[in-house]
Amino acid sequence: MASATHLFPIRHDAIPSLLQKYGIVPTTQRIEIAATLLCERQHLSADQVLKRLTEHGVSVSKATVYNTLGLFAERSLVRQVIVDPAKVFYDSNTEPHHHVYNVDDGTLIDIDTANMCLEQIPYPPRGTFVETVDIVIRIRNTV
Amino acid sequence: MASATHLFPIRHDAIPSLLQKYGIVPTTQRIEIAATLLCERQHLSADQVLKRLTEHGVSVSKATVYNTLGLFAERSLVRQVIVDPAKVFYDSNTEPHHHVYNVDDGTLIDIDTANMCLEQIPYPPRGTFVETVDIVIRIRNTV
DNA sequence: CCCCGATTTAGACTCCGTCTAGTTCAAATG
DNA sequence: CATTTGAACTAGACGGAGTCTAAATCGGGG
């Protein structure tokens, strides 16, 4: 359940132990998928991860990529970012931060939470708890 | 381009002029779709709108429902809410507010912006402008 | 009443993601 | 070292949301 967030760049041979730290059995495919996404701070869709793997001559099935990214998100190794109705992004950066999404070209960038004070978050209804608070600034290109 | 937000409930016969105020030609189908969504503060997916229309004996094609809701959002008559990777919600409430989304049961509720001060929003990159700032509090059921 | 651009339509199609059922893998066991 | 067993992986079918296309229809201006 790893307390500290990992640092970039992550060395390929550090991945198995990283996965274990998050309670994930480090299989060949999971290591490859993690290496693809976690090599730097970035936002990739499942499809993009699959494409990169294929391009690098690594053969992993579509189902495994989708399942594995879902597992990573569930275990908080990566973060899901839902800003585009068409696809889910997976964010290799798990430190608290928010996002700026360019609706026109699909660019997604991180912004620090520093100074973005968010006061008075309402109590969650009975029987529920807050999982995340996501702030998305949607921008568009002028003209 | 209507400045003031409309008030609920909206009378059915007030819809044609409301559409015109937003630069939308009020056709039969658009009036029906607007009436379905705007009758009260609510969040509906395109599919739900289509279902309600069908249930009320109003026949509108799927393509028209999707296109029309997209048009309404583009003209700021309604607001798109992207919180679920599976579908887009359309929000009849266009006043500034944010959302609490229950990931487990798909419930979406509005929260007032009052007291939720958000300071220090970063400048948008050159050549872009901020369209919306969306805050989504994701909650889950305990147990 | 006719014309013509705007709107609507049915249904095919695309794309993201899930499901299924069979296969492979690897670790533990005998 | 062979066997067992459950987890993980796979290919490909499938499902659902949303888009596209080409044809039909509408409705306001002439």
Side-chain angles (χ1 to χ4, degrees):
Chain A
M1 251 23 82
S3 46
T5 46
H6 41 267
L7 296 150
F8 295 92
I10 294 171
R11 285 175 45 214
H12 193 287
D13 60 3
I15 287 178
S17 63
L18 181 63
L19 293 181
Q20 276 168 332
K21 232 171 62 176
Y22 283 81
I24 299 163
V25 177
T27 66
T28 310
Q29 291 84 350
R30 288 171 180 172
I31 291 165
E32 289 298 337
I33 293 166
T36 303
L37 182 57
L38 299 179
C39 63
E40 57 176 289
R41 282 179 202 271
Q42 60 184 339
H43 309 93
L44 298 178
S45 66
D47 227 42
Q48 288 175 308
V49 170
L50 180 56
K51 202 166 132 233
R52 292 201 182 185
L53 288 167
T54 308
E55 282 167 5
H56 286 77
V58 180
S59 167
V60 183
S61 75
K62 190 171 74 153
T64 298
V65 172
Y66 278 88
N67 290 339
T68 300
L69 289 171
L71 177 68
F72 286 2
E74 199 183 296
R75 297 288 213 281
S76 306
L77 172 60
V78 302
R79 180 168 152 184
Q80 271 190 336
V81 184
I82 297 164
V83 289
D84 187 310
K87 57 180 172 291
V88 173
F89 286 105
Y90 290 89
D91 189 343
S92 59
N93 179 9
T94 53
E95 297 194 41
H97 68 280
H98 300 299
H99 294 101
V100 177
Y101 185 59
N102 188 316
V103 179
D104 288 330
D105 55 33
T107 319
L108 183 60
I109 55 179
D110 287 358
I111 52 172
D112 202 11
T113 46
N115 301 326
M116 292 193 60
C117 77
L118 194 55
E119 316 245 326
Q120 291 288 121
I121 293 175
Y123 275 111
R126 270 227 160 275
T128 69
F129 65 96
V130 174
E131 187 168 69
T132 63
V133 177
D134 297 340
I135 301 179
V136 178
I137 300 172
R138 268 165 231 279
I139 62 173
R140 308 202 59 155
N141 298 326
T142 48
V143 182
Chain B
M1 245 36 77
S3 45
T5 46
H6 39 268
L7 298 150
F8 296 91
I10 294 171
R11 285 174 45 214
H12 193 287
D13 60 4
I15 287 177
S17 63
L18 181 64
L19 293 181
Q20 276 169 333
K21 231 170 63 175
Y22 284 81
I24 299 162
V25 177
T27 66
T28 310
Q29 291 82 349
R30 286 171 181 172
I31 292 166
E32 289 298 339
I33 293 166
T36 303
L37 182 55
L38 300 179
C39 63
E40 57 177 289
R41 284 179 201 272
Q42 60 183 339
H43 309 93
L44 297 178
S45 66
D47 226 43
Q48 288 175 307
V49 170
L50 180 55
K51 202 166 131 232
R52 292 200 183 185
L53 287 167
T54 308
E55 281 167 4
H56 286 77
V58 180
S59 167
V60 182
S61 75
K62 187 171 76 155
T64 298
V65 172
Y66 278 88
N67 290 339
T68 300
L69 290 171
L71 176 68
F72 286 0
E74 199 184 297
R75 296 288 213 283
S76 306
L77 172 61
V78 303
R79 180 167 154 185
Q80 271 189 335
V81 184
I82 298 164
V83 289
D84 186 311
K87 57 180 172 290
V88 174
F89 286 105
Y90 291 90
D91 189 343
S92 58
N93 178 9
T94 54
E95 297 193 41
H97 68 279
H98 301 300
H99 294 100
V100 176
Y101 185 58
N102 187 318
V103 179
D104 287 330
D105 56 31
T107 318
L108 183 60
I109 55 179
D110 287 357
I111 51 172
D112 202 10
T113 47
N115 300 327
M116 292 194 60
C117 77
L118 192 55
E119 315 245 325
Q120 292 285 121
I121 292 175
Y123 275 111
R126 269 225 161 278
T128 69
F129 64 97
V130 173
E131 189 169 68
T132 62
V133 177
D134 297 339
I135 302 178
V136 178
I137 300 173
R138 266 164 233 278
I139 62 172
R140 307 202 60 155
N141 297 327
T142 49
V143 179

